[in-house]
Amino acid sequence: MNNATAEQGLIDIGRRCGVLEPSVVNVRSWLACKDRRWLLVIDNADNPDVDYAPYIPSGKSGDILLSTRNPECILHETVGHELLGDLEPELALELLLKGISVPESRWKEKEEAATVLINILGSHTLAIIQAGAFIRQGLCTLEEYPSIFQQQRDELLKFHTKQNQSTYRNVYATFEVAAEHLQNSKSPECSDALTLLHTLAFMYNSGISEEIFQRASQYAIELKDSRAADDEEVLSLSKRHVARLPEYIQQEWSRPSNRLRWRKALQTLQSLSVITVAEDNGPFTISLHSLVHAWAKERQDPQIRSSAWQSAATILALSYEGYNEFSHFFVTLQPHVRACVSHEVEKYTQNMSAIDVAQILFQFAYLLHHARDDSSLNSLVQQIRLIMRQKHGVGRGIVIRVLVYVGRVALLQGDSGKAVKLLERVLKIREKLAEDHPNRLTSQHELAGAYQANGQINEAVKLLEHVVKVQEKLAEDHPDRLASQYELAHAYQADGQIDEALKLLEHVVQIEKEKLAEDHPDRLASVELLEHVVKLKGK
């Protein structure tokens, strides 16, 4: 509701009630002087730029019900307010089954199918009404709706009946009103808010921490102040990626003005109830209703959608850049990386070079590998292979890195023979590097794992002993050195050399106990293997 519709609403009330010269002022005065009880409903008072106070009559005879998605309207309350969230399961079930005209005697029979649909819609009232209307028209059955919804989400959410001719005719329209306000406003915070909304559409719809944006901004500044990354180095990002970021993230995050600009964008979206923001003595955490999240992506035209995906992917990749070992931040980041790569990445990267795409996707692959998210890593590697086939000018570094990850995926899928062939090919390429070059040592480490999985234990032990010896130059608690010692101990155990395995594992566990958190994946894996070897020793 804007000023024009609010004024027209009061004028219409005056005309219907016989008020002479109906105007906002005259109708308000007329209501204030009435002795009879009256109820004024101010619906959809969502516009943050409208002051609704001039449209609220005074007096003691009337009641005013104001519905809004703008939390600032709480200022108008005099007797309290009620925050309406999603429907309770029982009410949602009743709303849907009544909406599709199921006799109450059959509710039990339809409860399971109805519950599936309600869960898909996130118990969203308007979505349930829309689904009920669609089903009631005989366009599909209750049981068929979920699969049709997944395929034609956009069309179904735009469906409406002639009996539902309100301002918001469909679920997406309620959100689009907010977007139109942002688009039509000339304020910078509204422009920032719309850009942020489009970016959030390509992350997971909850648990979006301010820390992600803060870390991305910090690393973006480092990149801007340094030389651009070598195009052959696929595990680094470049200044070209920084250019794809929203302006306020390209600036120094520690400056209050830049941080405030981001928070103003948040507050603008929150005031329109497009997002919710929580702050529990730490960074802000953003959430979007699942349907808002879907709408935020589907409302974008192809060009904006590509730009928004690239922005989201770059923010996530930059926030992860620089991590060489497990961090609890991985837990925060992981669902957003998974959500980002679940989209049709090849469509959103057509205007990007092979190296720019690879640098982002390999950041994601590295994170998923360290987080031991094998299923997501497998899916991502397949996307990488597809995209790299379509790109021209793919560099040697990218080809090698693709081979490494394809080998890892082959191991995850149990095809150790294929993994051995791929990783032997990688090592042959990298044998030209110095003996202690990290890439050569990593390739030997990877190949040893494949040998062991393929039953070639002697080859695995020989190769890992060589790697461990070369890495003696590293600090005792260096993650790469500990990882190689762990793998060698694992190979010793598989080869029946229990005493050697026990001695090496006790050393690794002791170092990791001093260096790593109790719930660190590497520490847990080492302790588990040590316990297994101790049992074998006892036998």
Side-chain angles (χ1 to χ4, degrees):
M1 177 182 291
N2 55 30
N3 286 308
T5 55
E7 290 174 8
Q8 189 60 49
L10 282 177
I11 291 171
D12 288 343
I13 290 173
R15 286 173 178 165
R16 289 170 180 264
C17 296
V19 177
L20 296 176
E21 297 182 3
S23 66
V24 171
V25 174
N26 290 344
V27 174
R28 282 185 60 193
S29 298
W30 178 79
L31 286 170
C33 295
K34 293 293 290 182
D35 292 327
R36 297 176 60 184
R37 301 294 299 174
W38 53 264
L39 172 66
L40 175 66
V41 178
I42 303 177
D43 197 18
N44 302 319
D46 301 327
N47 194 323
D49 293 335
V50 175
D51 180 8
Y52 294 99
Y55 309 109
I56 299 176
S58 57
K60 298 181 179 179
S61 300
D63 297 295
I64 300 169
L65 178 63
L66 185 147
S67 70
T68 180
R69 294 187 293 157
N70 183 359
E72 293 182 5
C73 284
I74 197 173
L75 297 172
H76 302 305
E77 69 154 351
T78 57
V79 295
H81 68 278
E82 184 74 20
L83 180 64
L84 301 178
D86 293 331
L87 284 177
E88 294 293 328
E90 296 80 10
L91 293 176
L93 192 65
E94 181 179 350
L95 177 64
L96 177 60
L97 293 177
K98 282 185 176 180
I100 60 178
S101 304
V102 174
E104 193 168 347
S105 59
R106 296 187 62 198
W107 282 14
K108 193 68 178 176
E109 172 190 340
K110 295 291 185 179
E111 181 176 350
E112 183 177 350
T115 300
V116 169
L117 176 51
I118 289 167
N119 289 338
I120 289 174
L121 297 177
S123 297
H124 195 288
T125 307
L126 285 173
I128 292 171
I129 291 171
Q130 293 303 128
F134 191 86
I135 296 169
R136 189 172 60 249
Q137 294 296 316
L139 300 176
C140 74
T141 66
L142 174 62
E143 292 76 13
E144 291 170 344
Y145 189 93
S147 61
I148 297 174
F149 175 82
Q150 299 294 350
Q151 297 169 12
Q152 302 180 21
R153 183 191 302 247
D154 191 44
E155 291 302 316
L156 286 173
L157 291 177
K158 290 181 179 177
F159 178 82
H160 65 275
T161 67
K162 293 180 180 180
Q163 302 302 317
N164 190 25
Q165 298 286 340
S166 64
T167 302
Y168 302 137
R169 294 185 176 184
N170 53 64
V171 175
Y172 275 12
T174 64
F175 312 139
E176 197 61 38
V177 167
E180 287 180 7
H181 163 71
L182 298 177
Q183 286 175 332
N184 295 332
S185 174
K186 296 180 180 179
S187 68
E189 53 264 32
C190 285
S191 176
D192 288 343
L194 191 60
T195 300
L196 176 60
L197 176 64
H198 290 162
T199 301
L200 295 177
F202 291 97
M203 298 181 185
Y204 190 62
N205 70 303
S206 64
I208 307 171
S209 174
E210 179 183 23
E211 187 179 9
I212 295 172
F213 295 84
Q214 179 180 354
R215 289 178 181 272
S217 176
Q218 290 171 344
Y219 192 69
I221 297 301
E222 290 181 23
L223 281 177
K224 288 175 72 174
D225 294 340
S226 64
R227 275 190 313 111
D230 183 348
D231 277 1
E232 285 296 310
E233 184 46 68
V234 294
L235 290 183
S236 296
L237 299 172
S238 73
K239 293 179 181 179
R240 295 187 301 277
H241 295 98
V242 176
R244 301 182 186 278
L245 296 172
E247 184 182 348
Y248 53 86
I249 296 183
Q250 296 185 35
Q251 308 302 320
E252 182 61 55
W253 189 267
S254 60
R255 290 182 183 174
S257 58
N258 292 325
R259 191 165 63 252
L260 182 61
R261 183 175 173 182
W262 185 80
R263 291 188 175 180
K264 279 185 176 180
L266 276 191
Q267 290 170 357
T268 300
L269 292 177
Q270 187 180 20
S271 71
L272 296 169
S273 290
V274 174
I275 65 172
T276 58
V277 180
E279 183 182 16
D280 298 323
N281 299 320
F284 291 138
T285 301
I286 309 165
S287 298
L288 298 82
H289 190 283
S290 57
L291 290 179
V292 176
H293 188 247
W295 158 79
K297 186 193 77 167
E298 291 168 9
R299 74 175 305 276
Q300 302 173 41
D301 65 38
Q303 184 176 355
I304 293 176
R305 196 176 293 186
S306 293
S307 177
W309 183 91
Q310 291 170 22
S311 176
T314 302
I315 289 169
L316 294 173
L318 282 168
S319 73
Y320 172 73
E321 172 67 29
Y323 283 100
N324 295 316
E325 53 184 298
F326 178 82
S327 166
H328 284 289
F329 181 60
F330 290 5
V331 178
T332 298
L333 203 56
Q334 187 178 351
H336 305 300
V337 169
R338 293 179 66 178
C340 192
V341 299
S342 69
H343 298 285
E344 298 172 296
V345 176
E346 63 275 9
K347 287 187 178 180
Y348 303 144
T349 56
Q350 291 179 0
N351 66 337
M352 296 177 69
S353 67
I355 184 62
D356 286 355
V357 177
Q359 286 171 328
I360 288 176
L361 296 184
F362 279 118
Q363 288 290 330
F364 292 168
Y366 203 64
L367 180 142
L368 295 174
H369 174 66
H370 275 267
R372 305 194 176 187
D373 188 347
D374 297 342
S375 175
S376 299
L377 176 60
N378 182 11
S379 176
L380 177 58
V381 169
Q382 300 311 317
Q383 285 200 66
I384 293 173
R385 296 186 74 183
L386 175 63
I387 293 169
M388 291 303 111
R389 286 196 196 105
Q390 297 171 346
K391 293 287 184 182
H392 298 290
V394 175
R396 182 179 174 215
I398 298 177
V399 172
I400 295 174
R401 186 62 60 177
V402 169
L403 288 174
V404 170
Y405 277 103
V406 172
R408 287 177 181 172
V409 170
L411 276 179
L412 297 175
Q413 295 175 332
D415 192 348
S416 54
K418 177 181 177 181
V420 166
K421 290 180 181 178
L422 286 167
L423 295 174
E424 283 181 336
R425 181 178 166 192
V426 171
L427 181 56
K428 187 172 182 180
I429 295 172
R430 287 181 167 171
E431 278 179 343
K432 298 176 183 178
L433 300 173
E435 187 178 54
D436 60 351
H437 192 288
N439 287 348
R440 178 172 178 176
L441 291 171
T442 298
S443 298
Q444 291 170 329
H445 187 125
E446 298 266 5
L447 178 55
Y451 278 149
Q452 187 170 338
N454 201 41
Q456 297 172 253
I457 307 300
N458 290 336
E459 289 89 340
V461 168
K462 182 179 178 181
L463 194 52
L464 284 168
E465 285 179 336
H466 169 75
V467 171
V468 167
K469 184 173 180 60
V470 172
Q471 288 179 333
E472 286 177 355
K473 301 175 184 177
L474 301 175
E476 193 173 47
D477 61 353
H478 193 286
D480 291 348
R481 183 174 179 181
L482 290 171
S484 298
Q485 290 171 335
Y486 168 84
E487 290 297 339
L488 177 56
H490 199 288
Y492 279 151
Q493 178 259 311
D495 196 38
Q497 301 182 53
I498 304 301
D499 289 337
E500 288 81 356
L502 184 60
K503 180 180 177 181
L504 197 50
L505 278 171
E506 286 175 340
H507 168 76
V508 170
V509 168
Q510 182 59 39
I511 297 293
E512 290 179 341
K513 183 178 180 181
E514 298 171 1
K515 180 178 174 62
L516 305 178
E518 285 188 15
D519 59 350
H520 191 290
D522 291 347
R523 181 175 172 182
L524 293 173
S526 298
V527 170
E528 183 180 0
L529 183 57
L530 176 59
E531 291 173 349
H532 178 64
V533 171
V534 167
K535 288 181 182 179
L536 292 176
K537 175 72 172 175
K539 292 180 180 179

